[in-house]
Amino acid sequence: MASTTKFRMRRGARARALAAVALAGVAALLAACSSATPGQSDAPSAPGAGSGDAPVAIEPETLASDRLFERVSADGVAVLWSEPGESLAVVVGGSGGGGGCIPQPDAAELVDGVVTVAFDPPDPAMMCTADFTLHGWTLGLPEPVDAEAPLDVQLTDLQEQPIDVQVGPDDVLTGPADPQPSLIDDPPGAIAPTPIPQEQLPAMDTVIPPGTLPQVAVKWLEPGASLAVMTIGSVVAPVCNATPVGAKVTGPGSIEVAFELPDGDMDCPADGGLYGWEFPLPERVPAALGVEVTVTGTMHDGREAVIALAPEDVLGQP
């Protein structure tokens, strides 16, 4: 998938939905949405005989972990101890609306040392948002078990086939989680960008076709770890060009790259040359899900370049 570029005025609303694109194993179950608060669910099915307590929704702050997000992205679900030996945490991904937009777990059952959790499917009549959020529940076990031994868990009606997982002694949901680095309001530029040698840049017209505004292109250098950001600037008067500042991760599928324009009025020539910089990311992102890169500070009118970056969009050698 080739990268595409759109632009908008600074402080415009940013899409946060790219993270859900690659989760094909879960997407088939997420056809609908409700007005429920994210992270909360509709009333779960009443526990039956030999079942544990009714599932209790886990607060979104407790699920705010990059490692947990990547695990659910890869496997479609994560099962951990909530209280070792007494309760499990089951986490799935789906529409931020929650409720009827996502599968809902029934109470856990324990038979012959194996825990079984059945899910009720989403409501196909609901209209759902396309954003992606982790949803989790604490499921009490009907009786305590040995948390030092591996516990077999089977999840049914979540995908076409039952999902069998094993929960080990170290698989514990810790929380509330520390804030994600991307949610801390630090200025960008913790890792300084470095110039990409001219001989390693492609032909200018191949990455920034004539008429492109803002004149920005973004590729992966190392998917999930570093970006190549290219702009067009003056060759004879580089003092007129925007200065790269840094990159920060602003969400599971969102990166912001900052530039600064020179201050004051300057008489700049109209010549143009391609410049490129490597922007290391302060934290890795799951590139396989696709990301949205917003580049700021290259236009005097405040316009931003918003570029959808696919995992295969890697800067090749010219």
Side-chain angles (χ1 to χ4, degrees), residues 46-71:
S51 300
D53 295 334
V56 177
I58 299 173
E59 292 297 325
E61 293 79 9
T62 305
L63 305 177
S65 162
D66 288 341
R67 182 174 298 180
L68 184 60
F69 181 90
E70 291 177 1
R71 184 168 176 176

Side-chain angles (χ1 to χ4, degrees), residues 219-237:
K219 300 287 185 181
W220 288 114
L221 278 177
E222 180 184 346
S226 63
L227 297 172
V229 181
M230 293 160 282
T231 66
I232 296 176
S234 174
V235 176
V236 298

Side-chain angles (χ1 to χ4, degrees), residues 91 110 113 129 139 150 160 183 191 217 220 229 243 272 304:
V91 184
L110 178 64
T129 57
L139 283 74
E160 291 185 1
L183 301 181
I191 304 177
W220 288 114
V229 181
T243 301
E304 303 172 340

Side-chain angles (χ1 to χ4, degrees), residues 1-5 18 207 217-224 226-230 287-288 290-293 307-316:
M1 176 174 61
S3 61
T4 57
T5 304
L18 293 176
V207 288
V218 180
K219 300 287 185 181
W220 288 114
L221 278 177
E222 180 184 346
S226 63
L227 297 172
V229 181
M230 293 160 282
V291 300
E292 181 183 80
V293 182
I307 299 171
L309 194 60
E312 64 269 20
D313 292 331
V314 178
L315 181 67

Side-chain angles (χ1 to χ4, degrees), residues 20 25 37 103 126 181 254:
T37 302
M126 304 292 287
S254 182

